[in-house]
Amino acid sequence: MTKPAILTVDDDPMVSAAISRDLRRRYGDDYLVVKATSGDQALAALTKLALRNQPIAMIATDQRMPGMTGIELLERAREQAPTAKYLLLTAYADTDVAIRAINDIGLDYYLLKPWDPPEDQLFPVIDDLLGDWRHANREHTSDVRVVGHRWSDRAHDIKTFLARNHVPYSWYDVDRDAEAQRLQDLADATDADLPLVLVPDGDTLRAPSAVDLASALGLRTRAQQPLYDVCIVGGGPAGLAAAVYAASEGLSTVIVEREAPGGQAGLSAAIENYLGFPRGLTGSDLAQRAVAQASRFGAEMVLARSVVGVESRGPVHAVLLEGSGEIEARALIVATGVSYRSLDVDGLADFTGRGVFYGATASEATQCQDEEVYIVGAANSAGQAALNLARFAKRVVLLVRGEALENSMSRYLIDKIAKVKNIEIRCRTEVVGCRGDGHLEGLTLADRASGRVEEVQAGWLFVFVGASPRTEWLGQSVLRDDKGFVVTGPELIGQDRWQLPRPPYALETSVPGVFAAGDVRLDSMKRVASAVGEGAMSVYLVHRYLATV
């Protein structure tokens, strides 16, 4: 197969030779390293590579070059290498220019010269960039194949599960693709069997459950030990951070996640205000990195299993799993986060997964090619979804109940949205009705100020409203407020539910040894960074608790 190319550009012959040499030594087995000594030469090389249909994985260019700067080159290269990673090699004096280029041209990273030794200064950065590129540009020769109807809610669930668990797949629509019909005939499958999931070197799955699908893909669905030091319920940022810190500090650790790592944050197309990532990163990327980190330290992850209850058995807490099975641990961290609230519109629930979606993954975005999309919501998650969907959709309409986005959305997102021509913002507007035959086909919109009602055609509605905690499984033993958020720490003082002579630890619930971290906790900040911080803090408190029992 054709090797992806890495293009290096530097007008200094010695520097050009050095970086090409270093990259060939490290990456030459998997990538074609091409060097250029000017912007014009680099553009000519890109043209030649494009004619060969050779993918460009990365362009690493010097900034200060006569005739054409590195940033000018990268801006012009976007047409021929739209998916390439952009690395700017620059001097300290040009860092302000490089930071501006992150927003202006989508620069992925800038690196100060010199980069010696490359093992410490250069290769770790390029490893990350190429890893991200490979993840986003996988070959599809041995992917999982999913065959089904476009407007099937079960097919949507399966595609979402695969995407969020970083399993590459190819989608075949039986209503549009001849190949999909051929695969259905080969499997001798009826419509009742759809969606089909064809797994390489495995049996054909017919409308599989999440557990069956996970098992077929080799994902772990059962715990390996009878007892753990700590069990973490929920694999969002708080749960993953807790797993990293617990496992790295020698605690036997298991995470139970009913869907996929990342939680609600995992659906984000871009997290741009997370410390240490000036270019931003996707929620999926953050989750993937965190899972790899937790696994490296020895944490187990049990996927596709819902927790339905918890029991305290002396010094041990037992987490009860749906269907059958349980996990026992000496301490429990509740990090189940929140989910988007359902939109209260008559008949809308019938279209969930059939044109109406809560949250949005990259797979939905690509399926909206050249179509009109409506989004309900005004917080950062809605703004990020609008920007992501606008890359594919003909028009994106953001429906906002309030007077203005400024009341609920970060300024940097508002500024970005204002620059995108195919995003329309409609304030004081809400969805009051829907229609469709088997899938969503239209919406009724109402102006909250005038009461004027309008009918619009719509096949796609994405909902980002409010947050409901996932805590019903805790039963009556763990104190929660009237909305279901878990009460912790000082808020328990004075409550008759706390029975020990010592005060509860900061993130401890009304049950000693059971802690809550992240969005599920009452009065949490609802930010990724704070969830990560609480996940780490909960492990510190688990250590203190375990030392007393």
Side-chain angles (χ1 to χ4, degrees):
M1 298 181 66
T2 303
K3 287 183 181 181
I6 298 173
L7 175 63
T8 70
V9 192
D10 200 301
D11 65 302
D12 185 322
M14 292 184 64
V15 175
S16 178
I19 189 170
S20 298
R21 179 196 64 232
D22 289 341
L23 294 183
R24 286 194 181 100
R25 175 165 56 87
R26 174 80 170 202
Y27 305 104
D29 289 343
D30 300 312
Y31 295 87
L32 173 67
V33 178
V34 179
K35 70 175 179 178
T37 55
S38 70
D40 288 334
Q41 193 179 101
L43 292 174
L46 287 173
T47 299
K48 185 179 292 186
L49 292 168
L51 290 173
R52 296 176 184 169
N53 197 29
Q54 191 149 15
I56 313 298
M58 187 181 73
I59 302 174
T61 179
D62 182 34
Q63 166 59 8
R64 294 193 178 188
M65 297 187 296
M68 187 185 306
T69 68
I71 290 174
E72 290 170 343
L73 164 64
L74 293 176
E75 190 170 17
R76 294 179 62 178
R78 179 64 71 187
E79 183 177 345
Q80 294 184 9
T83 67
K85 293 296 179 180
Y86 290 171
L87 172 63
L88 193 69
L89 305 173
T90 184
Y92 180 79
D94 293 324
T95 53
D96 288 345
V97 175
I99 291 170
R100 285 199 300 273
I102 292 173
N103 285 329
D104 294 343
I105 67 166
L107 180 69
D108 292 289
Y109 205 92
Y110 68 90
L111 192 64
L112 298 180
K113 292 182 175 181
W115 58 82
D116 288 329
E119 288 76 12
D120 296 333
Q121 304 297 328
L122 180 66
F123 295 156
V125 171
I126 294 181
D127 286 347
D128 263 357
L129 293 176
L130 293 179
D132 291 346
W133 185 85
R134 286 195 303 272
H135 178 68
N137 297 272
R138 297 178 188 271
E139 296 296 335
H140 295 285
T141 54
S142 61
D143 283 352
V144 170
R145 290 173 291 172
V146 182
V147 181
H149 293 286
R150 183 188 193 195
W151 300 115
S152 162
D153 53 349
R154 185 67 197 125
H156 167 257
D157 290 344
I158 286 173
K159 289 187 288 182
T160 299
F161 180 88
L162 293 172
R164 296 194 63 196
N165 282 284
H166 310 287
V167 178
Y169 71 91
S170 298
W171 164 247
Y172 297 87
D173 187 339
V174 295
D175 300 316
R176 296 183 171 189
D177 303 331
E179 178 64 9
Q181 190 60 60
R182 187 184 76 86
L183 292 172
Q184 183 179 1
D185 291 342
L186 285 174
D188 194 22
T190 66
D191 278 356
D193 295 323
L194 298 179
L196 301 176
V197 180
L198 285 69
V199 181
D201 302 320
D203 294 333
T204 297
L205 305 177
R206 301 168 187 265
S209 67
V211 174
D212 291 339
L213 180 57
S215 298
L217 295 171
L219 303 177
R220 185 169 291 170
T221 60
R222 295 183 181 277
Q224 301 299 298
Q225 299 178 203
L227 177 67
Y228 295 84
D229 290 324
V230 59
C231 174
I232 303 162
V233 182
L240 290 170
V244 168
Y245 279 88
S248 68
E249 294 169 10
L251 297 178
S252 58
T253 305
V254 62
I255 314 171
V256 184
E257 169 55 51
R258 71 173 188 171
E259 293 175 352
Q264 195 178 77
L267 296 171
S268 178
I271 302 172
E272 298 189 72
N273 55 1
Y274 190 63
L275 184 67
F277 291 87
R279 176 70 171 84
L281 75 169
T282 67
S284 175
D285 187 26
L286 177 63
Q288 187 179 29
R289 290 167 183 253
V291 168
Q293 195 172 15
S295 299
R296 182 167 69 88
F297 287 123
E300 288 184 29
M301 180 163 288
V302 174
L303 291 171
R305 300 299 300 272
S306 293
V307 175
V308 295
V310 60
E311 294 179 357
S312 293
R313 302 169 180 172
V316 169
H317 305 282
V319 168
L320 310 181
L321 304 178
E322 185 177 28
S324 63
E326 62 182 33
I327 299 173
E328 289 190 334
R330 299 166 63 206
L332 173 64
I333 298 174
V334 179
T336 45
V338 294
S339 56
Y340 293 113
R341 288 204 302 266
S342 299
L343 202 59
D344 188 15
V345 175
D346 286 344
L348 196 69
D350 295 336
F351 299 128
T352 300
R354 303 181 180 193
V356 176
F357 306 97
Y358 291 87
T361 65
S363 61
E364 275 101 36
T366 57
Q367 290 179 49
C368 298
Q369 186 78 43
D370 299 326
E371 299 192 28
E372 294 198 353
V373 171
Y374 286 79
I375 298 174
V376 177
N380 283 5
S381 55
Q384 291 288 6
L387 290 168
N388 187 40
L389 291 164
R391 296 164 53 215
F392 303 93
K394 179 171 65 177
R395 183 169 73 118
V396 175
V397 182
L398 191 60
L399 305 176
V400 180
R401 283 175 53 90
E403 297 291 323
L405 282 178
E406 285 77 3
N407 298 332
S408 54
M409 190 178 291
S410 295
R411 183 76 246 174
Y412 79 92
L413 277 175
I414 296 173
D415 292 342
K416 276 192 166 186
I417 288 172
K419 295 177 182 178
V420 181
K421 294 181 179 179
N422 62 333
I423 297 180
E424 175 186 341
I425 302 169
R426 297 185 57 171
C427 294
R428 303 179 301 276
T429 304
E430 59 186 340
V431 177
V432 296
C434 60
R435 63 184 183 279
D437 182 11
H439 62 89
L440 182 69
E441 296 177 309
L443 297 169
T444 305
L445 307 181
D447 187 303
R448 301 183 71 231
S450 66
R452 184 173 65 88
V453 173
E454 176 187 2
E455 297 289 336
V456 297
Q457 290 185 337
W460 300 90
L461 177 67
F462 295 92
V463 181
F464 296 84
V465 292
S468 299
R470 300 173 177 175
T471 55
E472 62 282 350
W473 59 277
L474 290 171
Q476 301 301 312
S477 60
V478 174
L479 183 64
R480 292 168 285 159
D481 74 351
D482 56 358
K483 295 181 180 179
F485 290 96
V486 178
V487 180
T488 58
E491 300 293 331
L492 290 169
I493 296 175
Q495 302 274 357
D496 58 6
R497 302 286 289 278
W498 184 256
Q499 303 297 323
L500 296 185
R502 68 165 174 85
Y505 297 126
L507 301 180
E508 198 167 20
T509 72
S510 56
V511 176
V514 177
F515 300 83
D519 291 358
V520 73
R521 195 177 62 81
L522 179 64
D523 291 333
S524 64
M525 285 182 60
K526 308 297 187 290
R527 288 290 186 270
V528 173
S530 63
V532 169
E534 289 191 8
M537 180 180 173
S538 68
V539 174
Y540 165 73
L541 299 174
V542 164
H543 278 296
R544 292 181 63 184
Y545 167 76
L546 293 178
T548 67
V549 296

